[in-house]
Amino acid sequence: MDFEDTAEEAAYRAKVREWLAANAAEYKTPYEGDVDLVVRGKAWQAKKYDAGYVGITWPKALGGQGGTPMQQIIFNQEESKYWVPAGIYAIGLGMCIPTVFTHGRPEIIQRYVPVAMKGEEIWCQLFSEPAAGSDLAGIRTKAERDGDGWVINGQKVWTSGAHRADYGIIVTRTDPTQPKHKGLTMFIINMRAPGVEVRPIKQMAGASEFNEVFFTDVRIADDHRLGDVGDGWRVSLTTLMNERLAVGGKPTNSPDAHSLIELARAIDAEEGNMLEQSHVRQKIADVYIQDRGISLTRMRTMSAISSGRTPGPESSISKVVVAKLMQDMGSFAGDMAESAGLLMGDDASSLPHLEALRQGYFWSAGLRIAGGTDEILRNIIAERVLGLPGDIRPDKTVPFNELHKVVS
């Protein structure tokens, strides 16, 4: 593996750094106070689009730059050194729009892709459902033919950013007489359409980034279908492949072993300074080793991309480790801080990195679900990386509307 930039990559990195230094100076520190993320996010996205840093790997015919995956990675690495409000576009541009231009009709691509790249419209991904759990093919939201269009009824849950979204991609069941993977169809849906109701879910850290979304007789034109009728599972895999790669790594600004070192050094317990205690030092060493493992796995993926290969299912390893590690770190930090670990908001402790570690603890609970639960990803690693036998799946060939007979 070669982790160093090639001459061309180094030149591109220098160009990106120069542009960010000139245009992202105001984002050098985290947001403070009341900030309208949508307004700031749209302004930042428009600036990136004008400079040619949106859709770096996408075809020029779509408005992209026709660049290499390494150029996109380099831009992401350098951009992550700032606190830019780019997150509201992560799902749309990272997962939804690639699905739209891969499976949509030409006129639909022309309608939605350029506008999304400029940041004028925000997207969400409507996959998870209460009754399906981690089994995407078990969804019950249905789309029924009605003249030239479709009528959708059902419910989604854990939909990130639906409260801000203008459009979404939604996977529906269009033929319950087919086995569960074959009766699905995907559509583009207007999140402001009559019959769409978004209910934000209050999270334990106080934010409401996830939502329940209900659909009551929502009408969709057939030209907003992505892929063929009944081909929704294959279309969904396009989205999931992009999603798992996007959420596989650890955010640059996340707490690490050094955060725990500084926190431990600031706490004096009855037994002495926390950093001098053997069990604390052992835990910090464990965190450092896992962090290095994540970093090297990420570099392995980047090295594969740089040499023209496609990353395989091993990218699932990083997400499984990152989510669990961040929860462990936050929990350990809370234990070290004792009563100070319970303070939040204006009462938050001034101990170094404690607030970031606590936020990481809360956020990583969602990460353990997003992009496939730990259990789903462990199955992928076991079957596709380690080559172990697959799970027995007796429901795979049974018509969806007869599955209850199999279960009972």
Side-chain angles (χ1 to χ4, degrees):
M1 290 184 286
D2 183 359
F3 299 149
E4 300 297 325
D5 287 343
T6 64
E8 292 79 11
E9 290 165 358
Y12 187 77
R13 189 182 297 278
K15 175 184 167 187
V16 169
R17 283 178 175 167
E18 182 180 1
W19 183 81
L20 287 169
N23 291 278
E26 65 177 300
Y27 301 117
K28 265 296 188 183
T29 56
Y31 312 131
E32 293 182 359
D34 295 329
V35 176
D36 189 331
L37 284 177
V38 173
V39 172
R40 284 169 62 91
K42 287 191 173 184
W44 176 244
Q45 187 68 18
K47 190 177 286 191
K48 284 169 57 177
Y49 177 81
D50 290 341
Y53 290 122
V54 178
I56 292 172
T57 63
W58 297 358
K60 291 186 176 180
L62 295 173
Q65 302 301 310
T68 67
M70 278 308 299
Q71 288 178 336
Q72 181 67 67
I73 290 171
I74 288 169
F75 184 84
N76 292 347
Q77 288 176 334
E78 297 301 324
E79 186 187 41
S80 69
K81 296 175 182 175
Y82 295 79
W83 293 88
V84 293
I88 60 173
Y89 297 102
I91 292 174
L93 296 177
M95 305 165 204
C96 300
I97 296 301
T99 306
V100 170
F101 67 64
T102 302
H103 299 283
R105 304 179 188 194
E107 60 273 22
I108 292 297
I109 295 172
Q110 188 57 43
R111 157 63 184 87
Y112 289 107
V113 175
V115 179
M117 292 176 72
K118 295 174 186 173
E120 295 173 4
E121 291 173 345
I122 300 171
W123 287 65
C124 66
Q125 171 193 314
L126 298 146
F127 280 19
S128 298
E129 293 190 9
S134 297
D135 183 8
L136 175 60
I139 64 159
R140 295 176 182 277
T141 293
K142 61 183 180 182
E144 297 174 296
R145 277 278 193 185
D146 185 41
D148 294 334
W150 299 80
V151 176
I152 294 182
N153 283 281
Q155 178 193 354
K156 300 289 179 178
V157 72
W158 308 123
T159 308
S160 302
H163 57 302
R164 299 193 187 104
D166 301 293
Y167 291 91
I169 54 174
I170 180 170
V171 61
T172 64
R173 187 161 301 283
T174 47
D175 188 353
T177 67
Q178 292 291 323
K180 63 181 185 178
H181 291 86
K182 296 183 177 178
L184 304 174
T185 305
M186 189 182 288
F187 298 91
I188 295 171
I189 188 167
N190 183 344
M191 294 298 289
R192 320 285 187 199
V196 177
E197 181 185 1
V198 178
R199 299 180 189 172
I201 298 171
K202 196 71 171 178
Q203 298 159 228
M204 57 183 171
S208 297
E209 293 296 317
F210 304 135
N211 302 270
E212 292 179 294
V213 187
F214 296 84
F215 307 92
T216 306
D217 296 331
V218 180
R219 303 190 66 83
I220 294 180
D222 187 58
D223 63 2
H224 280 55
R225 172 166 44 83
L226 297 174
D228 293 333
V229 176
D231 200 26
W233 180 253
R234 188 177 67 87
V235 179
S236 298
L237 293 181
T238 300
T239 312
L240 294 175
M241 184 177 65
N242 285 290
E243 181 180 25
R244 287 171 185 163
L245 190 59
V247 302
K250 189 177 180 185
T252 303
N253 294 319
S254 299
D256 56 15
H258 297 289
S259 307
L260 288 177
I261 290 173
E262 292 184 28
L263 175 62
R265 184 178 286 129
I267 300 175
D268 289 317
E270 291 182 1
E271 301 81 5
N273 185 268
M274 278 287 182
L275 193 55
E276 300 303 320
Q277 297 181 31
S278 60
H279 75 283
V280 173
R281 299 169 76 89
Q282 182 61 55
K283 181 66 179 182
I284 293 173
D286 288 344
V287 168
Y288 177 80
I289 291 169
Q290 291 189 63
D291 256 343
R292 282 298 291 163
I294 293 165
S295 177
L296 292 172
T297 301
R298 191 69 173 171
M299 287 180 176
R300 186 177 175 181
T301 301
M302 289 168 53
S303 184
I305 292 173
S306 182
S307 61
R309 289 178 282 134
T310 301
E314 66 273 9
S315 60
S316 298
I317 297 172
S318 290
K319 190 180 106 54
V320 171
V321 177
V322 166
K324 181 67 165 54
L325 177 62
M326 291 188 70
Q327 278 196 302
D328 286 348
M329 290 172 62
S331 176
F332 185 66
D335 287 344
M336 283 200 295
E338 297 185 326
S339 59
L342 300 175
L343 301 177
M344 296 182 66
D346 294 337
D347 297 325
S349 167
S350 59
L351 288 170
H353 305 292
L354 181 58
E355 180 61 18
L357 284 157
R358 180 170 34 227
Q359 289 298 326
Y361 175 82
F362 290 135
W363 176 77
S364 55
L367 184 60
R368 296 187 71 171
I369 300 173
T373 62
D374 289 0
E375 290 77 11
I376 291 290
L377 295 179
R378 286 194 177 109
N379 269 351
I380 291 173
I381 294 167
E383 295 175 15
R384 301 183 196 172
V385 178
L386 302 177
L388 298 177
D391 272 353
I392 298 173
R393 299 184 174 100
D395 59 347
K396 200 167 182 178
T397 58
V398 179
F400 185 76
N401 56 6
E402 295 181 12
L403 280 181
H404 67 282
K405 299 175 183 175
V406 175
V407 173
S408 61

